Amino acid sequence: MPTDSAMPLNNPIARILVAALLIMAAIGCQPRQQESTSDPSEPDSATTPLLLISIDGFRHDYFDLADTPALDRLISEGLKTDSLHHVFPTKTFPTHYTMVTGRHPGTHGVVANSMWDPYRDQRFSLGNRDAVGDGYWYQDGEPIWVTAENQGLTAATFFWPGSEARIHRVRPTYWKPYAGDTPHGERIDQVLAWLDLPEEERPDLLTLYFSSVDSMGHRHGPRAEAVRDAVIDVDSHLLNLLNGLEERDLLGNMHIIVVSDHGMSRVDFDQYIMLDDYLDLSKVRVSDWGPAAQIWATEKSVDDIFRALDGAHPNLRVWRREDIPQRYRFGSHHRVPDVLAEADLEWMISNRPFMAGRSRFSLLGMHGWDPALEEMHGILLAHGPAFSAGSRSPAVRSIDLYALMAHLLGLEAADNEGSLSAWEPLLFSEQPNRVKVQKFQCPEGPLSVRIGPAHASVHWRDAIHVLDEVETSPDARQWQEQDLSLRIDQRGAQAMIDGTAIGPCSAMLATH
Ligand code: AMP
Ligand code: ZN
Ligand code: ZN
């Protein structure tokens, strides 16, 4: 295991710094887990442990695929949100890193599973172990385990993107190098063993990760039988986990949050857009392919690339970096490419040499498109003292998860782009929250709104958007998000979605 890079001690300034650090350690400048109570005979008020579980590629509508006793127990005893709205691009590393940092990929810098860094002139890909374990790629966000460790808590990760790297010089106290073939039972046993450690060694924050549902979704398509079998298998291991926690009197006395990192859409072998039909690929760099292509100007100018692709194919949209839709919040990081091209749902971007000889059955499911698209929504369940049994919520945003976890762990959150506001009314409430549904008929089509105490989701065509409540008056309610707004009053509803005005819409029915 690599050690911290040591400062050369023959340098006099370094020697003074080391001496100062030793003195600080001796007088107790280490951060404390929690302020101890004034009575030394009283035990420290211990942190409620938090276990974050990711089931990769579990689409929000997979719950009805099979009986899932473990997930069902969490749902009946805790909070279930309709779905989890992720960030662009809806790919494993960008979305997982957003959940633990509260920053968008365009800010935290993990902009794809495969990316290029122009400062270092280096590539990152999931198969490149050196890159995956190199903190450089993650340093523009602070993951929750770093926040926890820096404030005196202990973190343990059984896989999570970024958890193998030293980020801001910190790793989780316990972590595992990624090995996708690790039996699920071994992962559960290790989490239980970590929780069995003596109090001073026991982790306060733990993560668990399963990839099989995603793998089966890619291979066989969303909702295929193999996906159902993978869901059943993960759930059976989660049931062992819940039973183990119950035996230890931990179930109900710790927080468990179950998420997935994106959904899954079918793809069609006959719906590939070949970039080399429009662009000489030897004159550009393409750092990522699939639902979206990330393209860099090398021997061709940005304008030439843009002109070559703009309007080239009816199922393709293209933007210069500065014109990427605001809602994607993807513009600012130096790893965001010069040109972004995105295909319609179920369409893919590739090139002829790559596709030559590939079977039409080699890939039946994919993700990576606009996070608002219903198919790209993941799941979020939450169980534990902060969540009332049977509580329900409209879709929530993954960007707000870091703020929630920091709050549950009693941590001061690092700088982030999320908010606690949608969560606050759901936490430690006497009554389980219910979702209020309002349906409207607009000149442009039907609009459905699912309303929570501080936020709402708008279901419009094939997308689900999440908006925060901004104003409540006796006769009107209003919600907002970047490029989105919604107002409901006695006469009906009006919305603005991606710059298009919708309405006036008349109410159809209201259910509670
Ligand atoms: P995606 O297709 O974007 O859903 O990526 C899923 C794949 O990411 C999994 O099947 C794993 O192979 C890979 N993966 C997930 N977590 C890690 C990790 N911590 N390190 C390396 N690869 C990972
Ligand atoms: Zn994934
Ligand atoms: Zn995947």
Side-chain angles (χ1 to χ4, degrees):
M1 203 186 302
T3 54
D4 285 8
S5 59
M7 224 183 263
L9 284 183
N10 52 4
N11 171 338
I13 298 173
R15 255 183 279 150
I16 293 166
L17 270 175
V18 169
L21 282 171
L22 288 172
I23 293 166
M24 281 164 71
I27 60 173
C29 286
Q30 303 275 63
R32 299 290 306 148
Q33 174 162 334
Q34 297 256 305
E35 285 302 313
S36 60
T37 48
S38 50
D39 179 354
S41 65
E42 288 281 308
D44 280 3
S45 54
T47 302
T48 305
L50 167 62
L51 169 60
L52 175 65
I53 304 173
S54 168
I55 311 175
D56 199 310
F58 193 117
R59 199 167 80 178
H60 66 95
D61 62 344
Y62 281 0
F63 290 108
D64 61 8
L65 280 181
D67 271 347
T68 49
L71 294 174
D72 289 352
R73 176 158 187 196
L74 295 175
I75 291 169
S76 69
E77 295 177 2
L79 167 72
K80 179 180 187 286
T81 67
D82 288 341
S83 64
L84 182 57
H85 183 297
H86 277 286
V87 288
F88 181 84
T90 43
K91 290 281 194 156
T92 297
F93 265 56
T95 58
H96 272 93
Y97 205 52
T98 288
M99 290 190 273
V100 294
T101 59
R103 289 179 168 217
H104 292 88
T107 311
H108 65 52
V110 183
V111 298
N113 286 348
S114 298
M115 50 186 171
W116 183 63
D117 186 282
Y119 293 179
R120 270 198 174 179
D121 194 12
Q122 260 179 21
R123 281 182 56 82
F124 175 102
S125 64
L126 301 193
N128 179 345
R129 298 216 62 92
D130 288 344
V132 165
D134 179 353
Y136 173 75
W137 295 93
Y138 310 95
Q139 69 188 8
D140 295 326
E142 181 177 301
I144 188 74
W145 57 81
V146 172
T147 311
E149 294 275 353
N150 281 344
Q151 294 180 39
L153 300 192
T154 301
T157 48
F158 211 125
F159 305 152
W160 198 276
S163 61
E164 289 170 63
R166 278 195 322 133
I167 303 170
H168 307 154
R169 309 182 68 82
V170 177
R171 272 203 186 97
T173 298
Y174 312 101
W175 60 279
K176 302 271 181 185
Y178 186 70
D181 55 359
T182 309
H184 291 173
E186 195 177 317
R187 306 179 197 204
I188 303 295
D189 291 346
Q190 176 65 81
V191 163
L192 291 172
W194 277 331
L195 289 166
D196 284 336
L197 287 170
E199 199 181 317
E200 60 278 12
E201 293 167 34
R202 186 174 87 168
D204 306 285
L205 165 68
L206 307 97
T207 72
L208 244 180
Y209 168 82
F210 301 97
S211 64
S212 53
V213 173
D214 177 72
S215 305
M216 290 304 120
H218 284 297
R219 206 173 302 161
H220 301 281
R223 301 183 63 86
E225 233 169 74
V227 173
R228 189 200 62 188
D229 293 346
V231 166
I232 291 171
D233 171 70
V234 169
D235 190 79
S236 70
H237 287 94
L238 290 180
L239 197 60
N240 294 339
L241 172 71
L242 299 190
N243 291 337
L245 295 176
E246 199 159 39
E247 278 164 24
R248 290 161 176 80
D249 198 24
L250 278 168
L251 195 64
N253 291 315
M254 65 184 287
H255 290 117
I256 302 173
I257 299 179
V258 181
V259 294
S260 62
D261 57 340
H262 47 69
M264 185 70 67
S265 162
R266 67 180 284 276
V267 284
D268 192 320
F269 193 72
D270 299 319
Q271 296 187 164
Y272 274 73
I273 299 163
M274 302 298 184
L275 220 50
D276 40 351
D277 287 353
Y278 314 106
L279 205 55
D280 180 349
L281 295 182
S282 68
K283 295 195 160 49
V284 300
R285 176 193 297 276
V286 184
S287 50
D288 195 28
W289 299 89
Q294 304 199 3
I295 309 167
W296 299 82
T298 50
E299 289 171 45
K300 241 184 197 317
S301 73
V302 172
D303 284 341
D304 281 350
I305 299 171
F306 178 80
R307 274 195 296 267
L309 296 179
D310 189 29
H313 191 288
N315 302 99
L316 186 73
R317 286 171 302 286
V318 56
W319 304 285
R320 295 178 185 88
R321 180 193 288 124
E322 57 276 16
D323 300 326
I324 297 171
Q326 289 293 312
R327 186 163 62 72
Y328 282 15
R329 293 183 171 91
F330 195 57
S332 52
H333 201 273
H334 69 268
R335 288 182 206 130
V336 174
D338 296 319
V339 175
L340 178 70
E342 189 188 16
D344 286 345
L345 191 70
E346 298 184 9
W347 284 77
M348 296 276 285
I349 305 171
S350 189
N351 60 79
R352 292 193 179 276
F354 182 80
M355 292 304 287
R358 285 181 85 86
S359 144
R360 63 170 45 240
F361 303 110
S362 59
L363 185 78
L364 295 183
M366 201 17 125
H367 50 86
W369 292 272
D370 181 346
L373 291 170
E374 195 172 340
E375 274 92 339
M376 294 300 103
H377 277 241
I379 59 165
L380 186 137
L381 314 176
H383 183 276
F387 304 96
S388 352
S391 204
R392 300 292 174 260
S393 155
V396 288
R397 281 175 304 219
S398 67
I399 194 81
D400 298 331
L401 205 51
Y402 171 84
L404 172 68
M405 294 192 290
H407 181 72
L408 293 177
L409 288 166
L411 298 170
E412 193 181 321
D415 211 11
N416 71 89
E417 297 164 332
S419 147
L420 205 55
S421 66
W423 300 113
E424 257 164 348
L426 303 175
L427 300 178
F428 299 103
S429 70
E430 293 280 300
Q431 294 298 320
N433 185 65
R434 297 263 167 267
V435 178
K436 185 178 171 203
V437 184
Q438 288 200 286
K439 293 182 188 237
F440 299 91
Q441 190 57 51
C442 314
E444 300 84 359
L447 176 98
S448 169
V449 184
R450 296 179 64 85
I451 303 172
H455 79 292
S457 65
V458 175
H459 297 232
W460 173 248
R461 298 189 171 149
D462 49 2
I464 304 170
H465 300 280
V466 180
L467 297 84
D468 289 314
E469 184 147 10
V470 286
E471 188 184 293
T472 306
S473 66
D475 44 63
R477 291 180 81 175
Q478 208 160 310
W479 297 263
Q480 233 158 37
E481 214 338 324
Q482 183 85 51
D483 286 347
L484 306 161
S485 69
L486 170 72
R487 182 190 154 89
I488 299 180
D489 60 25
Q490 263 93 356
R491 285 167 308 175
Q494 274 182 306
M496 182 74 80
I497 297 179
D498 282 342
T500 304
I502 292 151
C505 315
S506 48
M508 286 168 65
L509 56 101
T511 48
H512 294 265

